[in-house]
Amino acid sequence: GIVKFALESGASLVPVYGFGHSELWTKLLDPFRLFERISTSLDISLVPFFGLGGWPLGPTNRVPLAMVFGQPLECPQKLVPSQGEIDCYHTHLLDSFKETFDKHKAAYGWSQKTLMIV
C-alpha cells in the first residue's frame, strides 16, 4: 500500500480529511437490503444516489466543503521495509487522520461527530 511505497522512497505521508463530501449526494436507503445482496454477489459496491432536486447522478447538493491537512508523517527510506515497520507507520498514519479530524471538526460544525476507521 501507500505506507510501503512511502517507506521504500523515504517520502512523507500527509493526512488529509475532506469535510462535507458525504453530504454532496443523498444516498438511497434500501430497507430490503436488495443492493447489499446484489453488491455482494457481484463483488462490487452499488450505492444509488441523487443530487440536487432528486436528480439521479445529478448536480450535487450545495453544502460547504473543507479540506484540512495534518502534520506530515516522516518515513525513513528502507529498501525492503519489514511488515512490522509497515504496520507501525500505518498505525501512525491512521492516528494522524483521527488527530486531524478531531482538531478541525468543531470549525466545520461537526463537534459531536467521531471518526470511525474500519
Side-chain angles (χ1 to χ4, degrees), residues 93-114:
L93 181 61
L94 293 179
D95 290 343
S96 296
F97 279 121
K98 184 157 177 34
E99 289 171 12
T100 302
F101 176 83
D102 289 339
K103 180 178 178 182
H104 298 282
K105 68 182 182 178
Y108 188 73
W110 284 6
S111 57
Q112 77 285 0
K113 294 196 178 197
T114 57

Side-chain angles (χ1 to χ4, degrees), residues 79-96:
L79 293 179
V80 182
S82 69
Q83 188 60 47
E85 291 170 324
I86 294 169
D87 292 343
C88 177
Y89 279 90
H90 186 257
T91 300
H92 288 314
L93 181 61
L94 293 179
D95 290 343
S96 296

